[in-house]
Amino acid sequence: MAESQMAASLRYRRILLKLGGEALGPRHTSEAGEPRIGIDPVAVRRIAAEVKRVHDLGVEVAMVIGGGNIWRGADAAAAGMDRATADYVGMLATVMNSLAMQDAMEKLGLVTRVQTAIEMPPVAEPFIRRRAVRHLEKGRVVILAAGSGNPFFTTDTAAALRAIELNAQVLLKATKVDGVYDDDPMRNANARKFEELSYMRALNMGLKVMDSTAISLCKDNRLPIVVFNLDQPGALEAIMRGEKRGTLVHDLEESVIGERA
C-alpha cells in the first residue's frame, strides 16, 4: 500500500499514549512476595517496538509515562512524607523512565525528544508546546516527562493536559486489562466490560479509568479516551486502523451506554 493510502486508512493521525510506570517495571516479585521496583529493559524494548509499528504507519506519537515502578508519591505521603515533596520525587522517577524509553526507541531507529515540565537542560528539553508540535510534525516521538510540573496532579491528568495542548485526536491509556470493567476482572470473573462509555458515567460510577480531573479535562475538551491492554501484541496498531479494542470513553448518549463485551 502506498504511503498516502496507508495514512488515509488510519483512524488517528496524532495520538498521546499514556503508560503507567508499572508497564516498564519487572513483572516478577521478590522472594518476600513484594513487587520489584526498577526498569526492565526487556519490557521497555517491547513497548518501544509496539510504538514503532504505529509510527511506521505515519502516526504522530507523543507519550506520557508514569513513575510507579520506581516511586509512588501517594504512598510516601501516607507514610509521613510531605505530599508536595513526595510528588516532586515522583516527577523525577518519570524522567528516568522517559530516558530509558528514549534509549530503547532510538536503538530501533526512531528519532525522539524528551521534554520535561521541570527544566533539566543536561538531559532533556523543557516542555514548549510549539516546539513539541513541531517535533511531531517532523516525525519525532515526543516523550513528555515530569508530569505537569505541579504536585497534587497525577500523570493521568498531565497526559490529558498535554494531549489537549498538542491537539491529539485521542488519549490512549494502556493498562493491564483490555478495557474498562464495572469491577476488577482480576478478582471477579463476572465483571462486565464496557465497549463504550460516556465521560459522565465513568465519573459517576467511580470507575478506575483515569482520575476524575483527567476525565473532566477530556470531557470539557471532547477528547476521546481509549483504555486498552498494551500487552496484547498489535493492539495499538489495530486501534490506529480503526479496529475495536478496549473501551472507548467519549461523548455518548446515556441511552446507549453500558454495552457489554
Side-chain angles (χ1 to χ4, degrees), residues 57-73:
L57 297 175
V59 179
E60 297 174 359
V61 182
M63 298 178 68
V64 169
I65 307 173
N69 57 315
I70 299 172
W71 180 266
R72 286 191 170 277

mmCIF file of all heavy atoms in Angstrom, residues 57-73:
data_model
loop_
_atom_site.group_PDB
_atom_site.id
_atom_site.type_symbol
_atom_site.label_atom_id
_atom_site.label_comp_id
_atom_site.label_asym_id
_atom_site.label_seq_id
_atom_site.Cartn_x
_atom_site.Cartn_y
_atom_site.Cartn_z
ATOM 1 N N LEU A 57 3.473 3.656 10.400
ATOM 2 C CA LEU A 57 2.259 3.867 9.605
ATOM 3 C C LEU A 57 2.051 5.341 9.264
ATOM 4 O O LEU A 57 1.203 5.674 8.440
ATOM 5 C CB LEU A 57 1.025 3.356 10.361
ATOM 6 C CG LEU A 57 0.961 1.863 10.684
ATOM 7 C CD1 LEU A 57 -0.267 1.572 11.532
ATOM 8 C CD2 LEU A 57 0.931 1.043 9.409
ATOM 9 N N GLY A 58 2.808 6.212 9.935
ATOM 10 C CA GLY A 58 2.646 7.647 9.722
ATOM 11 C C GLY A 58 1.942 8.353 10.857
ATOM 12 O O GLY A 58 1.563 9.523 10.728
ATOM 13 N N VAL A 59 1.770 7.656 11.989
ATOM 14 C CA VAL A 59 1.109 8.257 13.149
ATOM 15 C C VAL A 59 2.103 9.115 13.922
ATOM 16 O O VAL A 59 3.244 8.705 14.152
ATOM 17 C CB VAL A 59 0.537 7.161 14.075
ATOM 18 C CG1 VAL A 59 -0.125 7.790 15.307
ATOM 19 C CG2 VAL A 59 -0.468 6.291 13.318
ATOM 20 N N GLU A 60 1.673 10.308 14.325
ATOM 21 C CA GLU A 60 2.484 11.178 15.169
ATOM 22 C C GLU A 60 2.233 10.788 16.627
ATOM 23 O O GLU A 60 1.089 10.763 17.073
ATOM 24 C CB GLU A 60 2.123 12.639 14.925
ATOM 25 C CG GLU A 60 2.418 13.099 13.499
ATOM 26 C CD GLU A 60 1.924 14.510 13.226
ATOM 27 O OE1 GLU A 60 1.340 15.129 14.143
ATOM 28 O OE2 GLU A 60 2.108 14.993 12.092
ATOM 29 N N VAL A 61 3.307 10.473 17.355
ATOM 30 C CA VAL A 61 3.178 9.886 18.691
ATOM 31 C C VAL A 61 3.808 10.763 19.761
ATOM 32 O O VAL A 61 4.993 11.095 19.686
ATOM 33 C CB VAL A 61 3.822 8.486 18.745
ATOM 34 C CG1 VAL A 61 3.628 7.861 20.135
ATOM 35 C CG2 VAL A 61 3.255 7.571 17.661
ATOM 36 N N ALA A 62 3.003 11.112 20.763
ATOM 37 C CA ALA A 62 3.504 11.713 21.999
ATOM 38 C C ALA A 62 3.220 10.723 23.116
ATOM 39 O O ALA A 62 2.276 9.935 23.042
ATOM 40 C CB ALA A 62 2.821 13.045 22.284
ATOM 41 N N MET A 63 4.056 10.738 24.146
ATOM 42 C CA MET A 63 3.912 9.781 25.240
ATOM 43 C C MET A 63 4.049 10.470 26.586
ATOM 44 O O MET A 63 4.808 11.429 26.739
ATOM 45 C CB MET A 63 4.974 8.675 25.143
ATOM 46 C CG MET A 63 4.907 7.834 23.902
ATOM 47 S SD MET A 63 6.247 6.597 23.844
ATOM 48 C CE MET A 63 5.775 5.524 25.200
ATOM 49 N N VAL A 64 3.306 9.964 27.559
ATOM 50 C CA VAL A 64 3.489 10.333 28.965
ATOM 51 C C VAL A 64 3.628 9.028 29.730
ATOM 52 O O VAL A 64 2.801 8.121 29.580
ATOM 53 C CB VAL A 64 2.305 11.153 29.513
ATOM 54 C CG1 VAL A 64 2.403 11.296 31.031
ATOM 55 C CG2 VAL A 64 2.256 12.530 28.866
ATOM 56 N N ILE A 65 4.683 8.915 30.526
ATOM 57 C CA ILE A 65 4.953 7.693 31.280
ATOM 58 C C ILE A 65 4.945 8.016 32.767
ATOM 59 O O ILE A 65 5.558 8.991 33.205
ATOM 60 C CB ILE A 65 6.314 7.082 30.889
ATOM 61 C CG1 ILE A 65 6.396 6.884 29.373
ATOM 62 C CG2 ILE A 65 6.545 5.756 31.617
ATOM 63 C CD1 ILE A 65 7.767 6.435 28.889
ATOM 64 N N GLY A 66 4.253 7.200 33.533
ATOM 65 C CA GLY A 66 4.227 7.383 34.984
ATOM 66 C C GLY A 66 5.534 6.934 35.623
ATOM 67 O O GLY A 66 6.472 6.517 34.942
ATOM 68 N N GLY A 67 5.568 6.972 36.943
ATOM 69 C CA GLY A 67 6.792 6.592 37.649
ATOM 70 C C GLY A 67 6.575 5.545 38.726
ATOM 71 O O GLY A 67 7.440 5.336 39.571
ATOM 72 N N GLY A 68 5.423 4.860 38.680
ATOM 73 C CA GLY A 68 5.059 3.941 39.753
ATOM 74 C C GLY A 68 5.962 2.740 39.921
ATOM 75 O O GLY A 68 5.942 2.097 40.977
ATOM 76 N N ASN A 69 6.751 2.399 38.922
ATOM 77 C CA ASN A 69 7.698 1.290 39.069
ATOM 78 C C ASN A 69 8.917 1.689 39.898
ATOM 79 O O ASN A 69 9.697 0.823 40.302
ATOM 80 C CB ASN A 69 8.162 0.809 37.690
ATOM 81 C CG ASN A 69 8.779 1.930 36.862
ATOM 82 O OD1 ASN A 69 8.240 3.032 36.789
ATOM 83 N ND2 ASN A 69 9.903 1.652 36.231
ATOM 84 N N ILE A 70 9.061 2.989 40.143
ATOM 85 C CA ILE A 70 10.210 3.492 40.904
ATOM 86 C C ILE A 70 9.765 4.163 42.198
ATOM 87 O O ILE A 70 10.360 3.963 43.260
ATOM 88 C CB ILE A 70 11.019 4.489 40.050
ATOM 89 C CG1 ILE A 70 11.566 3.789 38.790
ATOM 90 C CG2 ILE A 70 12.155 5.116 40.860
ATOM 91 C CD1 ILE A 70 12.223 4.728 37.794
ATOM 92 N N TRP A 71 8.692 4.935 42.122
ATOM 93 C CA TRP A 71 8.280 5.748 43.273
ATOM 94 C C TRP A 71 6.804 6.065 43.183
ATOM 95 O O TRP A 71 6.294 6.383 42.105
ATOM 96 C CB TRP A 71 9.083 7.047 43.288
ATOM 97 C CG TRP A 71 8.762 7.983 44.407
ATOM 98 C CD1 TRP A 71 7.874 9.023 44.377
ATOM 99 C CD2 TRP A 71 9.329 7.972 45.722
ATOM 100 N NE1 TRP A 71 7.864 9.656 45.589
ATOM 101 C CE2 TRP A 71 8.746 9.038 46.440
ATOM 102 C CE3 TRP A 71 10.290 7.160 46.362
ATOM 103 C CZ2 TRP A 71 9.079 9.310 47.765
ATOM 104 C CZ3 TRP A 71 10.612 7.446 47.674
ATOM 105 C CH2 TRP A 71 10.019 8.504 48.359
ATOM 106 N N ARG A 72 6.115 5.979 44.315
ATOM 107 C CA ARG A 72 4.709 6.377 44.391
ATOM 108 C C ARG A 72 4.560 7.480 45.429
ATOM 109 O O ARG A 72 4.688 7.243 46.632
ATOM 110 C CB ARG A 72 3.822 5.184 44.759
ATOM 111 C CG ARG A 72 3.637 4.210 43.602
ATOM 112 C CD ARG A 72 2.552 3.195 43.907
ATOM 113 N NE ARG A 72 2.223 2.424 42.724
ATOM 114 C CZ ARG A 72 1.405 2.813 41.778
ATOM 115 N NH1 ARG A 72 0.813 4.009 41.871
ATOM 116 N NH2 ARG A 72 1.151 2.048 40.745
ATOM 117 N N GLY A 73 4.306 8.685 44.942
ATOM 118 C CA GLY A 73 4.203 9.824 45.830
ATOM 119 C C GLY A 73 3.114 9.682 46.869
ATOM 120 O O GLY A 73 3.306 10.038 48.038
#
